[in-house]
Amino acid sequence: MSTDTSRDTNSRCVNSPGYHLACTLSGHSADVRAVAAFSKDLLVTGSRDGYVRLWQSGDLLESPIPVHCPYYVQTLAVLDSAKLLTGSSDKTVTWLDVHTQKVLCIGKGHDDVVSALSAEPASGLVASGSWDRTVRLWKHGQSLQTLEGHQASVWALLFLSETKLLSASADRTIRLWDIRTGQCEQSLQGHSDAVRALALIHTSARPDECFASAGNDGSILAWSASGQLLHRWLDVHSSFIYSLAVHEHHLISAGEDRTLRILDLREGCVVETIPHPNTVWSVAPIPGTDGDLLTGCADSCARVWTRCPERMASAEQVAEYEALLANQQNKWDQKEQIDPSQVPDAAVGLAEPGSRDGQTRLVRRQGSSDAIEVYMWSMANARWLKIGDVTDPPAESSRSNKTGYDFVFDVDVDGDAQRYRQLGYRRGENPYLAAERFLEEENLPRAFLEQIVQFLIDHVPANDLGMEKEAPSDPLTGSDRYVPLPDLTSLESNQRGRLPEFVRFESTDSYERILEHLPAAGRTRLLFSSLEPVTTEKLQVLAELLDTLPTAQVVAVIDLARLAVLDASAVHVFFANEPQTALDAVMRHAASLDASFGVQVSACRFLCNSFVHWQSAPVRRALLQRSGFILDTFTAQVNGHTPAKLWRVFTALLYNYAVLEQRCDVEKQSIQLCSESVLQSACLLGLARPAGVDDATELVSALCLLIHNPSRAKLAIAAGILEWEQIPSKIAERIRAFA
């Protein structure tokens, strides 16, 4: 049997551009779904972890920007030299100033994931496409019109001019729109599957303006601006093509087959194949360079590729990258079983050079009778590169329908109809439990939790849901109920000397559910079969788990610690090991890029409950000395799309800090500095109140406690956080009383 697995259709041996690895951009905790380049000195990446990151010369410029957390970043586009556009699974488009890292405006209107963006810098127009099958036109954050006609998700957009726009869809068509009239002028059909990428071609090889399209059929098509099909390159990739870019006479494509391919428009063929460790989601040319490329990969990394020797990575970095490639597992997709005896030994099979770039070859691992490896010929390196090991495909029966559920949904996590995943739900079940189970079964990141919960709320009949449809509750983080707050919004009540109580989170929806999600098995679960009595052994086990477990597994442990910290004995275990207390461990998880919504809520509740020991010096010292880090961590998570539950529990934390200032007569200097930061955080929370949250008693009460003298009143204004007209009326009256 032949062991050469490459496709010959569009590849032949020509002078290779010779791309090499320049650097790897590591920092995201999930797939890098989108990349963009402002210049060689400013690169941008967007990820499923919800963050946008800015890079210069391979180094992270600033802290990650949580533009869409906890939702994921799906697409990016450059509007001008300072403005970046981002689209997300939270259904919004944002305009971000990359120099100040501030969100300038947010576009709301889509009913599903924003999956495509394109900008027209001359006019400032922005187009967004969505899984809701529509295209929207925007300017300065304002929606101008909606273009309807596609029958499936819109995956790519491209402005041809100020008045002409292209849209590509999973319905296999490309539509040409006149945005002056909002009418579709043409519907172009040429692909046999979903169309996922568009790119403008204007090169010396093709002097007349035209564009390229690509998609799930693995082919690339070239079209004239008037809609005439000019050329078809079949099977450029062996699977889906997700992104296209153009540099000079090269058309660059990124695909599911884990490769980046360089197609020479003059030669009409693929001249170079660059293997990656996983799916290549996106590619962008880097302005101001000699063709450098930026790619985003499903292995959580982005990479820069160059043809300039002075910018190439070191030999050590290249060796690390090639080791990543070699450790891939490749599923052989042919029906016939591979006979290892017919596959040549590596020493024989790799003795001769390949005949074309990207050619792949199967060989038997040296010294083995059945282990089969995959190698790819690299023209740029003039040698065979190992790109993985062949493994058997999963059994056909593994995709059978799920049983034992009242509802089974085909969930389109990636917006790709060929990748449906089955989500099972039982009547009366808490959607959070169903979502947690689904993520574990499908090995999906926790960033999808809220998205899956919302899907269930939207698709399960209200009578069959295990919760109030308007108020989903995370079973791992307990009830939202706590001791009601006194009315502190009037000056008189405060002057009468009533000392307010701290907010505490003492109850839980189900202790059994917390135990179900406790990652430690056996003796640990037996130890915590009941939390009472709270013993030193239990506290020490919790402290150890907080210190050693990864963030993705720690939510139930923090929730147990949240209950245990209310006991007086917790002071001697949780706060005795300075400088690394249990509070520090909890905050390390809360600040992690892997922190889920549940981790953040549970961490806030742990902190709130810690205030009951405010008279203990170690507890008070920990809360005050770490206050800057605590406030910065949670303030960074808060924006107009923050889940209401996290917003409320953070306001409770700020309220407790305000109460501490009222109660404590010692460490006045530390408390004063802390409370000024709390005041600023409280003002920021007022601006970022989520839609639908009408009752902000804790926040109003916290501000009324904090703004008790003219200097504090002036701080709220002088800090530039609030304008008079933005201040809630009750707070404004109180500030004016001291103005």
Side-chain angles (χ1 to χ4, degrees), residues 594-724:
D594 295 328
S596 65
F597 163 73
V599 167
Q600 292 165 349
V601 170
S602 293
C604 251
R605 288 175 173 164
F606 173 87
L607 293 167
C608 285
N609 287 359
S610 298
F611 278 87
V612 302
H613 306 299
W614 68 277
Q615 291 176 306
S616 168
V619 177
R620 189 171 60 250
R621 186 163 53 247
L623 290 168
L624 290 174
Q625 290 181 354
R626 279 74 158 181
S627 62
F629 177 59
I630 291 169
L631 297 173
D632 287 347
T633 296
F634 289 110
T635 303
Q637 305 296 330
V638 174
N639 54 55
H641 305 287
T642 301
K645 179 174 286 189
L646 179 58
W647 187 89
R648 285 187 179 281
V649 76
F650 189 25
T651 63
L653 176 62
L654 296 179
Y655 175 81
N656 278 5
Y657 269 114
V659 172
L660 181 64
E661 184 192 42
Q662 295 284 311
R663 284 176 165 262
C664 194
D665 293 325
V666 297
E667 300 177 272
K668 276 294 185 184
Q669 185 175 2
S670 296
I671 290 178
Q672 183 176 3
L673 291 173
C674 170
S675 58
E676 288 175 357
S677 299
V678 173
L679 174 64
Q680 294 188 17
S681 294
C683 292
L684 285 172
L685 250 68
L687 287 174
R689 187 193 306 193
V693 177
D694 299 321
D695 180 14
T697 304
E698 300 88 1
L699 184 62
V700 173
S701 298
L703 285 170
C704 286
L705 285 171
L706 292 165
I707 302 174
H708 54 73
N709 58 50
S711 63
R712 289 287 177 84
K714 292 176 182 177
L715 175 64
I717 303 301
I721 298 169
L722 295 177
E723 301 293 339
W724 280 109

Side-chain angles (χ1 to χ4, degrees), residues 70 121 199 236:
V236 177

Side-chain angles (χ1 to χ4, degrees), residues 70-323:
Y71 300 91
Y72 65 86
V73 180
Q74 174 74 26
T75 180
L76 300 174
V78 174
L79 179 58
D80 57 36
S81 60
K83 297 185 187 67
L84 176 75
L85 303 165
T86 70
S88 168
S89 60
D90 66 5
K91 310 176 188 179
T92 69
V93 180
T94 66
W95 281 249
L96 179 70
D97 188 314
V98 294
H99 300 308
T100 63
Q101 289 110 60
K102 300 296 184 184
V103 173
L104 303 175
C105 48
I106 300 174
K108 300 179 181 179
H110 281 296
D111 295 326
D112 214 324
V113 175
V114 176
S115 47
L117 289 170
S118 184
E120 210 297 304
S123 63
L125 285 175
V126 172
S128 61
S130 170
W131 292 4
D132 66 10
R133 307 180 181 184
T134 68
V135 176
R136 282 182 174 263
L137 295 173
W138 312 79
K139 194 164 186 177
H140 307 309
Q142 299 298 313
S143 180
L144 303 179
Q145 62 177 314
T146 302
L147 309 178
E148 298 180 343
H150 281 296
Q151 302 303 306
S153 303
V154 177
W155 272 113
L157 295 167
L158 178 66
F159 274 103
L160 292 179
S161 68
E162 292 185 25
T163 60
K164 302 294 183 183
L165 176 70
L166 292 169
S167 60
S169 168
D171 64 10
R172 306 182 184 183
T173 69
I174 302 167
R175 288 180 175 253
L176 175 61
W177 304 87
D178 186 330
I179 60 178
R180 294 168 298 186
T181 64
Q183 298 299 311
C184 175
E185 293 187 338
Q186 292 186 72
S187 179
L188 311 179
Q189 299 184 1
H191 286 279
S192 60
D193 209 329
V195 190
R196 304 187 66 125
L198 296 167
L200 188 65
I201 302 174
H202 188 70
T203 70
S204 57
R206 292 191 178 274
D208 296 329
E209 189 171 80
C210 58
F211 67 91
S213 62
N216 287 5
D217 58 10
S219 300
I220 298 177
L221 278 57
W223 309 79
S224 69
S226 61
Q228 178 185 0
L229 181 60
L230 302 176
H231 194 82
R232 187 191 302 268
W233 290 279
L234 297 175
D235 301 326
V236 177
H237 287 258
S238 61
S239 188
F240 304 163
I241 299 175
Y242 293 124
S243 181
L244 288 174
V246 175
H247 176 72
E248 296 179 344
H249 50 270
H250 291 134
L251 184 59
I252 305 110
S253 55
E256 173 73 17
D257 61 4
R258 306 182 179 191
T259 68
L260 190 73
R261 298 189 183 238
I262 316 295
L263 191 153
D264 191 311
L265 294 171
R266 300 167 302 181
E267 299 284 344
C269 64
V270 173
V271 295
E272 186 169 7
T273 301
I274 305 175
H276 282 63
N278 211 319
T279 297
V280 191
W281 288 116
S282 51
V283 59
I286 301 176
T289 65
D290 184 23
D292 285 10
L293 302 173
L294 174 64
T295 59
C297 187
D299 69 346
S300 305
C301 294
R303 291 175 177 86
V304 175
W305 304 89
T306 187
R307 295 178 294 185
C308 297
E310 63 271 18
R311 292 202 293 273
M312 293 177 185
S314 67
E316 182 180 0
Q317 292 171 318
V318 171
E320 290 178 0
Y321 182 69
E322 291 184 1

